[in-house]
Amino acid sequence: MDIKNIKAVYFVGIGGIGMSALARYFKVMGYEVAGYDRTSSPLTRKMTDEEGFEITYEDDEKGVREVFRDKEHTLVVYTPAVPQENRILSFFRDNGYALHKRAEVLGFLSHSKKALCIAGTHGKTTTTTMLAFLLNRSHVGCSAFLGGISSNFGTNLLIDKDSDYVVIEADEYDRSFLHLHPEIAVVTAMDADHLDIYGTHEHLIEAFEEFALQTRGELFLRKGLELKKRTITGYYAAGEKADYYADRLRVDNGSYLFDYIGKDVEIRDLRMCFPGRVNVENATAAITVALYAEVTPEEIRVALPLFKGVSRRFDVHAKSDRLIYIDDYAHHPREIEASLSSIREMWPDKRLTVAFQPHLYSRTNDFYPEFAKSLNLADQVILLDIYPAREQPIPGVTSGLIAERLTVPFVRVTKEEFPEYVKENVKEGVFMTVGAGDIDRFIPIFTEMFGGTDC
């Protein structure tokens, strides 16, 4: 990829969280940028209305402007989530353009800086964003390509031309993270997922092994994980001893207090206001990498309480004495279990109602017993239909497979029935919407319904 000759960049699937970060980067750097996406979203509307992006939702190659028809000076970036028969993608492919996946371009851009990469089947987005926040609030600084919208920064892209570091979410989907060569890497989890890509859990682990071998410097793993082909710098944990761990973990007025214990440093009485016990574990990983990047313990102490999290990661949208409304992106059984367990810890006496929209027919087919087991931590479950994303239906695979294995009260509703059912039946306790599909479109409705919050 010869970026020196590029004047324009066209994104096929610009509305994805990773694609939009790259698009923002190229626009900030002065390139002509445009793109296509299947549907409008809050993210794409912000890009067009506030940031001046040109985005079309019509799959018609006739809408591609002349500046992007100069194939010698145009970079075309696409996501595998876009079908191969897409007309705009086919236009670029059939006319001899060099097509590059988002991961290839991100890997290329990362070569000019020291890449701090966070990988894992869950936990990576929060950990990546937390690490970027700690570096940004220190004398070290960083650029960052995030897998979610930072609640502190309001974006998924940070650019710091004076810093040597770039923080990157290393996505295992479609083996994308194998385009990266980290200076320092973290692996947060390696649970079975994306089996439509990998086939087996063993093949997924093999990809993580390869990612580890591409890491030039330190490699940190959550305690309990194992990679056999690469020496591990250390293991991290929360609530149990490891090379780097959070000790004396306790809840104080809705916040977590803990001591960070590392090989050569201890930071006592750290406060984290972002909820979820699993996020203390994520914070431990982020702090460990930040210290290796020479952020000072005092800078970490000052910054950590100010971290507000990531959009759709344990997002508290309404809070009163009567009811708390939380939205979360969790779409794997382990993620759901972690989120619901955190709620039980934070609010042990409140009734917990969870609305879940399964994501992908293949994932539902692979994990429906595990989904039911995780959801059984709730007092009541509201099940929506499966969000198909890029997939065609699989005969016999519906959210009913999960419902059949629930041991707590449940109801199945359509998206049309969903708001009214919640209005009539959810009156108190904790209400949580969960899933990686379009269940987030109901956030404004429920936030208004339950009165909002300043938290």
Side-chain angles (χ1 to χ4, degrees):
M1 189 187 308
D2 188 359
I3 203 74
K4 295 177 182 177
N5 292 328
I6 298 301
K7 297 178 181 178
V9 188
Y10 197 95
F11 289 83
V12 186
I14 196 170
I17 196 70
M19 291 281 278
S20 61
L22 269 182
R24 283 167 162 158
Y25 170 82
F26 279 107
K27 189 170 181 62
V28 168
M29 300 307 289
Y31 294 84
E32 188 80 21
V33 177
Y36 157 84
D37 211 89
R38 185 168 60 92
T39 57
S40 172
S41 69
L43 176 55
T44 57
R45 288 192 291 274
K46 181 178 181 181
M47 292 173 73
T48 54
D49 298 347
E50 300 178 22
E51 301 173 32
F53 279 89
E54 174 192 335
I55 299 177
T56 181
Y57 304 102
E58 297 290 331
D59 183 17
D60 187 349
E61 70 277 11
K62 294 177 182 177
V64 177
R65 286 196 294 115
E66 195 64 33
V67 67
F68 301 103
R69 292 176 180 264
D70 178 3
K71 67 180 179 181
E72 299 301 323
H73 298 99
T74 299
L75 172 64
V76 178
V77 188
Y78 75 100
T79 170
V82 173
Q84 288 298 304
E85 62 270 20
N86 177 274
R87 290 179 60 181
I88 294 177
L89 183 61
S90 298
F91 164 77
F92 288 122
R93 184 175 57 240
D94 295 346
N95 284 280
Y97 285 74
L99 304 181
H100 294 278
K101 292 182 181 180
R102 176 193 67 88
E104 295 178 82
V105 180
L106 185 58
F108 176 83
L109 295 177
S110 70
H111 289 166
S112 62
K113 290 181 178 285
K114 297 178 180 178
L116 310 177
C117 299
I118 311 297
T121 48
H122 55 83
K124 60 182 175 289
T125 300
T126 299
T127 308
T128 303
T129 309
M130 195 177 293
L131 173 60
F133 179 75
L134 293 178
L135 266 68
N136 178 269
R137 289 300 182 104
S138 77
H139 74 284
V140 177
C142 71
S143 297
F145 293 90
L146 307 175
I149 303 299
S150 162
S151 297
N152 290 94
F153 302 120
T155 184
N156 52 356
L157 172 72
L158 299 177
I159 295 179
D160 184 341
K161 296 180 181 178
D162 296 324
S163 175
D164 292 334
Y165 291 103
V166 57
V167 178
I168 298 174
E169 177 169 329
D171 188 4
E172 75 280 359
Y173 174 71
D174 200 34
R175 296 178 172 83
S176 293
F177 62 171
L178 298 184
H179 291 283
L180 301 171
H181 292 79
E183 187 76 19
I184 302 176
V186 172
V187 177
T188 62
M190 295 187 295
D191 295 313
D193 200 2
H194 304 302
L195 299 186
D196 56 325
I197 300 295
Y198 289 98
T200 67
H201 191 192
E202 289 71 25
H203 288 152
L204 174 70
I205 298 296
E206 288 173 4
F208 276 97
E209 291 275 15
E210 189 173 344
F211 172 74
L213 289 173
Q214 292 178 184
T215 301
R216 296 189 291 259
E218 288 76 14
L219 174 64
F220 303 98
L221 268 60
R222 180 177 59 81
K223 186 176 180 180
L225 300 181
E226 183 181 11
L227 291 174
K228 299 178 180 179
K229 297 180 180 180
R230 178 28 165 102
T231 300
I232 309 303
T233 306
Y235 296 86
Y236 68 92
E240 60 177 317
K241 289 189 175 181
D243 299 305
Y244 312 88
Y245 65 102
D247 194 26
R248 293 201 308 131
L249 176 59
R250 62 263 192 213
V251 177
D252 176 59
N253 195 28
S255 301
Y256 283 108
L257 291 177
F258 63 95
D259 299 338
Y260 173 85
I261 310 296
K263 289 183 176 179
D264 301 312
V265 63
E266 296 182 3
I267 314 175
R268 299 287 178 179
D269 296 321
L270 286 171
R271 179 177 292 273
M272 188 180 77
C273 301
F274 185 51
R277 176 178 282 261
V278 67
N279 290 317
V280 177
E281 187 175 79
N282 294 334
T284 304
I287 291 168
T288 299
V289 178
L291 288 170
Y292 269 81
E294 299 186 346
V295 178
T296 69
E298 189 56 31
E299 287 173 331
I300 290 170
R301 179 188 302 283
V302 172
L304 187 62
L306 303 177
F307 179 69
K308 297 179 180 179
V310 188
S311 177
R312 298 220 63 217
R313 268 68 174 184
F314 219 94
D315 253 357
V316 180
H317 290 281
K319 188 174 184 180
S320 67
D321 292 338
R322 180 178 62 88
L323 190 140
I324 300 166
Y325 167 46
I326 300 170
D327 176 69
D328 196 273
Y329 186 74
H331 55 285
H332 186 278
R334 286 290 298 276
E335 294 172 333
I336 295 172
E337 179 184 357
S339 293
L340 270 56
S341 296
S342 294
I343 289 175
R344 290 300 195 193
E345 180 180 48
M346 299 294 290
W347 300 286
D349 299 325
K350 291 187 178 292
R351 176 179 173 81
L352 173 56
T353 302
V354 176
F356 175 53
Q357 181 189 47
H359 183 258
L360 299 180
Y361 293 102
S362 60
R363 183 180 282 123
T364 304
N365 192 44
D366 288 336
F367 299 118
Y368 61 88
E370 291 85 355
F371 278 124
K373 182 179 179 181
S374 298
L375 291 167
N376 281 330
L377 293 172
D379 294 300
Q380 182 188 14
V381 175
I382 303 170
L383 276 176
L384 279 73
D385 294 332
I386 295 170
Y387 183 80
R390 57 189 178 271
E391 293 185 335
Q392 296 299 314
I394 298 175
V397 178
T398 70
S399 60
L401 291 175
I402 300 171
E404 291 171 359
R405 286 158 178 79
L406 291 172
T407 59
V408 298
F410 71 91
V411 62
R412 293 178 66 189
V413 300
T414 65
K415 285 190 282 191
E416 292 72 25
E417 299 167 334
F418 185 32
E420 187 63 26
Y421 179 85
V422 171
K423 182 179 180 180
E424 294 296 323
N425 294 278
V426 181
K427 304 293 186 182
E428 61 182 5
V430 178
F431 172 58
M432 190 173 198
T433 48
V434 177
D438 64 353
I439 195 170
D440 60 326
R441 80 184 210 190
F442 296 99
I443 292 174
I445 296 172
F446 294 137
T447 301
E448 182 178 359
M449 185 183 298
F450 298 126
T453 179
D454 294 328
C455 62

